[in-house]
Amino acid sequence: MHNPVLTDNTYQKFEEQHKEFRQATALTRPEKAQKMMGQIDLLIDSPEGLDFIFQNIESLSKAGIFEGSPWADPSKLVASLVNGTLKSGHPNSTIEILSELRLLAIAKGMMEIKGTSPTDAENFIQEVIVANLEFVFNEPLEETRLVMSEHELKKVHTLFKFISEKTKLDNVKEKLVEELTLICEQRPVVTEKQRKIIALVKEKIDLDPKKDLDARLLKFQRCIYRPTINSVNKDYKKYRTLLKTLTFDQLREESIEMSRAMLSFGLVSQYHPILVIHLIEKEQKELVPLCLGLTEAGTARWREHEAFICDLILKTIHPYNAQCLYGLAKMLESGIFSREAVRSGLANMLTIKVHPEVEERILKSTKTPHEKISALQYLMGALFRVLGQPLGVGQGNNPTCQSARGISMWSQHAPAKLINMVQTAATYNDLTFRFEAKEIKSSEVGLGLVQNLDHNLDAVSVTLVPMLDKVYNEMMLRASGRGEDPHKWVNPALYGQWIQIGFASAYDYLSNAIVDYNGFISVLYAMCHPKYNGGHRLIYPNPVGIFITSAKGDMLGFHAVSLLRVDVDFKGVYRAYFLNPNNEGRQDWGQKIKPSVYGNGEIYGESSLPLHEFAARVYAFHYNNLEAADKMDNVPDLEIQKIKKLAKESWGRSYTWLETKKIW
Amino acid sequence: MAKCFALMGWSLPVIESMQKLNKPYVVVSFPDFEGYAKENNIPFVSYQFDEWSDTSNSLDLYEKLKPFEADVAVPLFEETVEWAGALNSIYRGDPRVLNRAFLFRNKAMMKRKALIGGLRVGLFEEVYNKEGVKNFMKRLNQANLQIDGEQDSWVHIKPFASAGTVGHRLLRSMQDIEEKCQESDFPCLAESHLPGTEFSCEAFIHGGKIRFLNITEYVKLGYSNFIPEGHHLHSKRDKIMKEMQKLVDLFGIEYGMIHPEWFLTENDELSFGEVACRIPGGHILELAAKAYDFDALGAFVLCHDPSLTEEELNEILPPLDARPKQFYGNVMIYPHKDVINKLEIPDELKEESYFLDHNLIPPYTNQKINSREGFGNHFGTVNFKGEDPDRMTELLLHYENVDFYH
């Protein structure tokens, strides 16, 4: 490819500047470096230019191009920050690209830097590749497209093309598998992210089924693109035609194969609805439980409500609205259909007319709305998913953890209330709540926390969250100024009577300090630790406020999670299992505290931590105030001190600590 | 050989040159720079240049510089010209050196001196208020035999003692005077508009003789220039050299570098604009250094040293008759809009074979652009290099009007 930028004198000019830069002393180097960066910025948007800079990276590095910048020491770089830096534009993006080139050169053994081995460099690059798939495949997310200019996009894409060609993708494959596993093991309600990665892998990487990693990636692909042998090389229309030729026994096999594909990662293919609808329409309904992969209990519930559920399926499900089949299957398993109120609510939902503004939000949240599917169908589908996978509810990129936590809690413990709330909100684009004997109407109160909703959410969330968020904020306003954390009153009012009346906060508003932390932890353990609470299990999710800390343990802010249960894991460690609405699989809270999302006894959608590590980040929770006083003395001081140390050495550094005793 | 150069003003590139040449120096500048100097082992005397009192004066500074054995003072900026002049008067035992420094700092005095010496200058006058400018324009109109309805004669006003284009206003009519002149402009110098192409000279002088002469062709004042001069100006080099030596003799300049601005009319007549004796703006010495491949800043400093030997001079300066093959030019980039969000380097520039580099800085989101004073505050420079001065002129004119900021 001829590149007009790289004329012969490009090299000569670069050399001229490079010489000037090398000869500069520390006094004028920053200024010369800036000019040099300007030149590099223009060169690296073409493969030849980038390669040229790559060939010169060692001498640029030696001349001090990274000196005095955050990129100076490659061993201190953080792969997860690369994406944001690349989006921030020149000169940051330019030096970030240089930094990747330097690491590539280290990985290739072309240069050496103390403290970073070729393996370190290789690992870093692979992490960067995995965290920047949008650039590797040149399919920038919508937000990315908005913030980056064409020139910047070209630069970054050129870089990733370059480094992915020079890096063994085998190892990236391993990270892709890991990434997909981390996402899928949480069984999120929204499946766009994993579908996108799977689609990109399918399109851009050749896989060899004989290789282990490739086979694992193929398994992800298959559950979306060819869930059964019969679906190979057919679109769903041809598949429908084929189904007509199958015998009952063949359909039976097909159903088993289909449900197995779905259950492996919780992903539903477009073929699946075709099969289910075929079974219902051809009066082979007895095969539907097999097709949904139901257990005996689930099958029994199907039989009980067969007619009703068939009607729901026919009115809701479509190849372009397929994912909700997984939610529906989980609803059948959980027994939610046995509740009369739920069936009535769902039946009512089918008759509503969706408010135009809600309709707009729903269609906006649907990546590729299909003309034959109404907003109501999408909303119904999302409702199946939320009701079937309560722990898969996420907040997307919105600061609305409270709302997400509420939807998840109602979905588990008050599904009919949730359905009714969705019905009201979808019809009137409004919601009302009671707060201390007064009404709060979302349409009549001020702004919520989120002003520009990120629409990477399910249809239930886009319907409810804007209103819940406003109601929550209004409750917080009304409860503020009482000298205590307003959540004490807001949580029970927002979430409902499942929330305990007692409220413990480590932070004391009046003294602006952490007061009686020992007492606080005693109450927490007396509430949830089976060893000290009389061997009791938790019943309802407990809305817990936690400090969010960085990988270095520094205080970053506050977050809302729900403590779901405390149990002994297979290693004999007491663990806290909780819902984190941010759906993040790779969390690092510092002090080696890293919540896991699978492999430690988690149910799909749960995060977990050893209980004391979880406790070390809690600042507020609810408890039964009639019980606590009895049990808190059971908690040994040694346990408390272990937690206190972790707390004091992380977020605790941002606070004053007072040892005054409080009455709990 | 000077025992120590006192560099009057803070300039990292100059300090770097001194370090590379391994010449003894001490920097005299505002206290703000003291910390950086200490950290980087730069000999430093902190001085409040903008204060003149019993405790802040050249005799006091002279004492402070004694421990460094400073014996040559070098003015780097307009504001330090008198300070350097005063010190050099003491060092050389010649009170007139200071008077000469004043000559550079008062544009009216400078013009009067030029006029006495037989240089062609425009009509000029010291003015004290708007009325004064109007009267000046009236007399100019009369002298130009203006007929009713004809345009007024153009008048420039400039502060007596500011660098380059700071405070410079062009007044095209009586109405302009009314609208553009501020109370704070006065007193100042008013002068008639000089026709012709403008260029500057950088003459490195030692022992009262021009030892090297650079001519900088101005494409557009305040925007762009290139070095060495194009073909037409080059053909006038002998004439320019003669006028330059006249100026040097007339002003009695013995050591250092002067940077006058001239106008060349179509009839090959040279008019004197003004002259400075510090480092010129517009990155001129940077361009000269590249075009002639010499350490222009180092040479600038060394020429101030009376004891510099012939060999040293020949070593640091290019030959008087040098004529580089490559032309180096630059254009300063100013945003065209009031609010800017991003920097965009146009493809045509990237593909331009004369394009060398740029140091443009991306703006903050919604950065507001303040009105500019003089021609300061540019957002960076785009540099070009090529063999054909005509193509260079074209490019510089073109890019002055390209909007890099959106």
Side-chain angles (χ1 to χ4, degrees), chain A residues 105-291:
Chain A
I106 297 172
K108 297 270 145 217
M110 289 165 55
M111 66 181 283
E112 284 178 16
I113 281 188
K114 233 179 112 196
T116 306
S117 70
T119 321
D120 294 341
E122 178 91 32
N123 283 338
F124 187 91
I125 287 180
Q126 284 165 12
E127 268 180 66
V128 169
I129 290 178
V130 174
N132 288 279
L133 292 175
E134 54 171 327
F135 294 132
V136 177
F137 301 125
N138 201 18
E139 303 220 349
L141 302 170
E142 196 50 41
E143 305 96 272
T144 310
R145 227 186 285 272
L146 284 175
V147 298
M148 288 175 79
S149 70
E150 211 173 299
H151 168 65
E152 286 293 320
L153 270 173
K154 232 165 122 190
K155 269 165 65 179
V156 175
H157 175 54
T158 307
L159 171 79
F160 279 97
K161 195 160 175 284
F162 188 80
I163 58 176
S164 53
E165 275 165 12
K166 289 195 167 14
T167 306
K168 280 191 222 118
L169 275 178
D170 272 355
N171 299 333
V172 177
K173 285 178 196 162
E174 190 178 329
K175 297 233 159 69
L176 287 171
V177 169
E178 190 191 332
E179 183 74 18
L180 283 171
T181 309
L182 279 174
I183 301 172
C184 290
E185 282 296 319
Q186 298 185 67
R187 295 291 192 268
V189 159
V190 177
T191 58
E192 298 305 326
K193 197 173 167 191
Q194 59 269 48
R195 282 173 188 272
K196 193 146 199 176
I197 297 176
I198 293 169
L200 292 172
V201 170
K202 176 172 181 261
E203 207 172 309
K204 316 273 173 157
I205 304 180
D206 289 324
L207 298 174
D208 174 1
K210 287 186 204 103
K211 289 186 186 156
D212 176 48
L213 277 174
D214 292 26
R216 287 167 72 188
L217 282 173
L218 277 171
K219 210 175 150 205
F220 283 103
Q221 265 181 37
R222 282 196 191 122
C223 68
I224 298 179
Y225 298 109
R226 40 156 296 195
T228 65
I229 303 285
N230 281 322
S231 64
V232 177
N233 292 329
K234 288 185 194 68
D235 63 15
Y236 68 84
K237 287 174 190 150
K238 281 191 188 146
Y239 179 70
R240 184 183 303 159
T241 318
L242 173 107
L243 287 182
K244 290 177 189 153
T245 67
L246 298 187
T247 64
F248 182 83
D249 284 342
Q250 283 170 320
L251 280 173
R252 193 186 145 81
E253 288 310 308
E254 189 68 16
S255 296
I256 293 171
E257 209 183 338
M258 188 66 88
S259 62
R260 198 175 290 151
M262 172 178 83
L263 292 179
S264 51
F265 301 108
L267 293 172
V268 184
S269 69
Q270 287 192 322
Y271 305 95
H272 209 150
I274 301 291
L275 179 59
V276 173
I277 292 166
H278 178 83
L279 295 177
I280 294 174
E281 284 177 349
K282 301 292 171 216
E283 292 300 330
Q284 284 158 334
K285 293 180 188 148
E286 63 267 44
L287 292 180
V288 173
L290 280 181
C291 188

Side-chain angles (χ1 to χ4, degrees), chain B residues 76-92:
Chain B
L76 302 187
F77 301 110
E78 187 66 32
E79 291 73 14
T80 61
V81 167
E82 299 102 316
W83 287 95
L87 288 171
N88 283 332
S89 278
I90 304 172
Y91 295 144
R92 292 190 215 158

Side-chain angles (χ1 to χ4, degrees), chain A residues 22 55 85 120 142 159 162 167 214 235 255 275 287 361 371 420 439 476 488 496 503 512 551 598:
Chain A
R22 279 196 309 266
Q55 301 306 330
T85 314
D120 294 341
E142 196 50 41
L159 171 79
F162 188 80
T167 306
D214 292 26
D235 63 15
S255 296
L275 179 59
L287 292 180
R361 290 206 295 274
E371 52 189 13
N420 187 240
E439 185 185 343
M476 286 296 282
K488 176 174 177 176
F503 179 80
N512 183 24
Y598 73 100

Side-chain angles (χ1 to χ4, degrees), chain A residues 18-19 77 85 97 108 113 158 164 177 209 309 364 387 391 420 446 449 474 492-493 515 520 538 547 551 571 633:
Chain A
H18 193 179
K19 186 177 140 208
L77 298 176
T85 314
I97 289 171
K108 297 270 145 217
I113 281 188
T158 307
S164 53
V177 169
I309 299 171
K364 207 171 161 192
L387 290 169
L391 301 183
N420 187 240
L449 297 177
E474 178 64 20
V515 177
F520 175 76
L538 299 184
F547 291 110
K571 286 185 203 145
D633 292 337

Side-chain angles (χ1 to χ4, degrees), chain B residues 7-10 26-34 44-65 80 83 87:
Chain B
L7 305 177
M8 311 301 284
W10 181 262
V26 55
V27 176
V28 185
S29 191
F30 290 99
D32 290 356
F33 297 102
E34 196 160 12
F44 189 82
V45 168
S46 129
Y47 220 75
Q48 206 69 48
F49 285 132
D50 52 4
E51 194 185 313
W52 198 85
S53 66
D54 285 352
T55 52
S56 179
N57 56 57
S58 56
L59 292 174
D60 175 70
L61 180 56
Y62 171 75
E63 289 301 322
K64 289 215 164 71
L65 286 171
T80 61
W83 287 95
L87 288 171

